[in-house]
Amino acid sequence: MAEFSDELELGRKATLLLDLHPPSSWHPNARATLEKLKLEGGRVSVACSGGADSVFALLLASRFFGEKIHCLHVDHGMRGISSTEDAQFVLDLCSELGCPCEVIKLRKLEASSEGALRTARLEAYGRHLKKVGLKYLIQGHQKDDVAESFLWRISRGAGPEGLCSPRPTHHHREFIIFRPFLTFDRQTIRNSLLKLKIPWREDETNASRIFLRNRIRNDLVPLWKSILDRNLLEGVEKSRDLIEEQNDAIKEWVDRIFEEGMRSADGLDEKKLSGEPVAVQRGILNRWLAEERVKFSQARLTEIIQLISSGSNGFVNLEKGIRVRKSSGRLKILMPESKKTENYGVFKLFAEQNLFFPNGRFLGFCQKDNCTEIMDLIGGKKIDPDSEAWICADKFESSFLEVRSRRKGDRFRKLGSGGSKSLKKLMIDAGIPADEREEWPVVSLGEGRILWVPGFPPSHSCKVEAESTKVIRLTYGSTAT
């Protein structure tokens, strides 16, 4: 067991540390949500490597949240006995604090770059948080990290999204990262720990000149500080906050434009896109390609923007033979020929009919005029979305439904969801194989209004309710008996 003091036990020191650095001194963008979580009795994890910054974060969070705190330590196994000792140190800290701790051991990475290690840690955090039913993680980043990140990213040509990192609050896939201590600098943190005789671990690789981040930290930032006649870190902190404000405003603008008819099954409306500021164009292209799971670089986005402004049709090559084509006022993503799958066209499906597919499956359409027993069925949750859907027909007038293959740009708001999502993404998340997605039937009213896709609940727009008078039952299954 690690020895922490001959005067005060660690829990008392953590309380004194919180007195020195109360929540009122934390970054307001993270503090507000953390205070709300505390009031609601929410549970939060803290990432602790054993270094000064993460020990500082763990002690403050443990006093702020009390027994609702949970610690995570990732052991990369990159430093032999030192890695093992770091893990034991964190376990000892948590034992002293009465805080549960999980050590996550990772296999040694072949590529040990800073980016690869960071990605491995985030993936490990995500897996464990999901496993234990948590979605909040506190990290110990501070002001010096902001300055280092700014220099590290700007040398690579980063935009505002990169330059406002690390953020005080950041949504990463299925969990949320809080960095409330961006208002403190590295020396303040270490001075506070020394004052209270609180130990930490030093990673010997931080002195290595192999990593660019270390060279920035140990050489460039001290020089930058020494030649200024003002507080560098305060200036960088203010700049980061301002860039984040501007980035969030652009993102809100992008999201609004994107949802207002910018995209259809035929791609992006090039005329509408060209009328927006370049920063908004870049944001829209970024979101469009990301949702289509197409990898790209900022350099390729710049080429697409230049193509838009040129007034001419043409192509921009992306990765693995994927291209963006500008033609007839639209931007479309073209996949390599080998990835194209022939679909089966568009069919009309009338009431009391079955539609048979070449793959040996069928789709049936049966209309009901009394929904009392149907509501009982729905209430009993006996419906299998893989093979059956009930749809309120009071909300449309068509005497038939269209059945077709999936199209690029299809979006679908399934019953019970908060909003529409890309049908392609829904299929990927559902594990539908890529070579089957084009053959999967999509039931619609035309013009992109999707009513049902087998495997998912029906559309939110045609929900069967107690007052429904006309209901359609759709069935999907195999013709084999």
Side-chain angles (χ1 to χ4, degrees):
M1 182 68 67
E3 294 294 333
F4 297 111
S5 174
D6 53 2
E7 300 172 5
L8 297 174
E9 52 90 19
L10 187 62
R12 176 60 179 153
K13 291 183 177 184
T15 300
L16 293 173
L17 189 66
L18 185 61
D19 291 339
L20 287 173
H21 306 291
S24 59
S25 64
W26 301 359
H27 198 289
N29 291 2
R31 182 184 68 232
T33 306
L34 291 174
E35 288 177 336
K36 182 179 178 182
L37 282 173
K38 180 182 178 180
L39 288 173
E40 295 173 348
R43 295 172 61 216
V44 179
S45 282
V46 181
C48 184
S49 66
D53 301 337
S54 64
V55 167
F56 182 82
L58 176 62
L59 296 183
L60 290 180
S62 71
R63 296 304 93 178
F64 182 73
F65 281 100
E67 63 182 15
K68 297 294 183 179
I69 208 71
H70 172 267
C71 180
L72 289 178
H73 174 82
V74 173
D75 180 358
H76 290 286
M78 301 289 295
R79 296 164 38 244
I81 188 64
S82 293
S83 292
T84 303
E85 290 174 349
D86 286 349
Q88 187 59 53
F89 175 79
V90 174
L91 286 169
D92 290 348
L93 272 181
C94 292
S95 177
E96 290 275 339
L97 292 169
C99 165
C101 179
E102 181 77 18
V103 174
I104 306 171
K105 293 187 177 182
L106 301 182
R107 290 183 300 175
K108 186 175 180 179
L109 299 176
E110 292 183 7
S112 57
S113 68
E114 296 157 285
L117 293 174
R118 177 181 178 275
T119 298
R121 279 195 302 275
L122 288 175
E123 290 178 351
Y125 292 144
R127 288 193 301 270
H128 187 78
L129 290 172
K130 185 175 182 180
K131 176 182 173 183
V132 299
L134 296 177
K135 68 173 187 176
Y136 304 111
L137 180 72
I138 292 175
Q139 291 185 314
H141 293 80
Q142 31 75 9
K143 277 185 182 180
D144 289 80
D145 292 319
V146 175
E148 293 162 15
S149 294
F150 191 87
L151 289 170
W152 186 79
R153 291 175 182 273
I154 205 170
S155 66
R156 286 162 166 74
E161 180 72 28
L163 294 179
C164 65
S165 296
R167 289 168 169 256
T169 302
H170 175 62
H171 290 252
H172 182 79
R173 297 183 182 175
E174 297 180 352
F175 66 99
I176 301 173
I177 299 172
F178 295 105
R179 303 181 181 103
F181 311 119
L182 294 178
T183 48
F184 306 118
D185 61 68
R186 178 177 286 117
Q187 195 56 54
T188 295
I189 289 172
R190 280 155 178 72
N191 287 345
S192 295
L193 296 180
L194 288 170
K195 179 179 180 179
L196 293 170
K197 298 182 180 179
I198 298 170
W200 67 86
R201 296 278 297 176
E202 287 288 357
D203 183 343
E204 64 274 13
T205 63
N206 286 339
S208 170
R209 298 186 60 80
I210 295 175
F211 297 123
L212 173 61
R213 186 70 176 246
N214 288 350
R215 299 196 297 274
I216 292 174
R217 177 185 302 127
N218 299 324
D219 299 341
L220 189 52
V221 171
L223 176 61
W224 197 9
K225 290 178 180 179
S226 69
I227 62 176
L228 293 180
D229 59 355
R230 63 198 66 193
N231 190 310
L232 167 69
L233 298 184
E234 285 187 7
V236 172
E237 180 190 4
K238 290 176 182 177
S239 295
R240 195 220 65 80
D241 288 349
L242 290 171
I243 293 171
E244 182 178 19
E245 287 179 6
Q246 295 165 0
N247 185 67
D248 289 347
I250 292 173
K251 186 176 184 302
E252 184 177 337
W253 191 345
V254 165
D255 291 344
R256 176 174 52 81
I257 296 293
F258 198 78
E259 300 295 342
E260 291 179 353
M262 176 67 72
R263 181 179 63 174
S264 70
D266 295 325
L268 293 185
D269 186 322
E270 182 265 332
K271 184 176 181 180
K272 288 183 179 179
L273 188 60
S274 64
E276 300 296 337
V278 171
V280 176
Q281 292 183 36
R282 187 178 297 275
I284 290 171
L285 291 169
N286 194 314
R287 176 172 168 178
W288 178 51
L289 294 174
E291 287 193 0
E292 292 295 328
R293 303 282 181 103
V294 175
K295 292 183 179 181
F296 58 92
S297 66
Q298 291 301 317
R300 297 290 83 76
L301 288 191
T302 298
E303 289 184 27
I304 297 172
I305 291 169
Q306 291 172 344
L307 178 61
I308 293 169
S309 65
S310 70
S312 305
N313 293 330
F315 298 88
V316 172
N317 293 314
L318 301 179
E319 60 148 24
K320 298 179 181 178
I322 301 173
R323 298 188 293 175
V324 171
R325 181 182 71 186
K326 177 189 170 189
S327 177
S328 303
R330 312 294 299 183
L331 290 174
K332 297 188 69 172
I333 298 171
L334 301 182
M335 306 300 288
E337 290 295 326
S338 60
K339 292 189 177 183
K340 290 184 178 178
T341 305
E342 293 297 326
N343 59 46
Y344 47 73
V346 180
F347 297 94
K348 292 181 179 180
L349 178 63
F350 292 87
E352 313 308 325
Q353 285 188 349
N354 289 333
L355 184 62
F356 296 91
F357 300 99
N359 61 4
R361 300 185 72 82
F362 76 94
L363 188 67
F365 179 161
C366 179
Q367 187 165 303
K368 305 283 185 180
D369 293 326
N370 187 332
C371 90
T372 302
E373 59 184 55
I374 296 168
M375 289 301 295
D376 292 339
L377 180 66
I378 294 173
K381 298 182 179 179
K382 298 177 181 178
I383 296 174
D384 181 359
D386 289 345
S387 59
E388 186 177 21
W390 294 88
I391 292 171
C392 177
D394 296 337
K395 301 178 181 180
F396 54 86
E397 299 179 355
S398 177
S399 61
F400 63 88
L401 302 176
E402 285 190 0
V403 181
R404 58 171 174 81
S405 300
R406 179 182 68 86
R407 295 171 180 164
K408 285 190 178 298
D410 273 344
R411 295 183 69 81
F412 178 45
R413 182 183 178 185
K414 61 184 181 179
L415 189 63
S417 65
S420 68
K421 288 188 177 181
S422 160
L423 180 54
K424 179 179 179 181
K425 186 178 187 304
L426 287 171
M427 287 182 161
I428 291 171
D429 292 343
I432 299 173
D435 58 352
E436 295 181 19
R437 292 173 204 150
E438 302 304 320
E439 299 178 357
W440 215 264
V442 175
V443 182
S444 76
L445 290 173
E447 299 181 355
R449 185 180 173 187
I450 298 174
L451 299 180
W452 184 47
V453 180
F456 305 97
S459 169
H460 178 85
S461 67
C462 57
K463 177 182 179 181
V464 176
E465 300 173 311
E467 60 269 23
S468 300
T469 61
K470 188 166 59 176
V471 176
I472 291 172
R473 181 190 182 217
L474 296 173
T475 52
Y476 181 65
S478 173
T479 58
T481 57

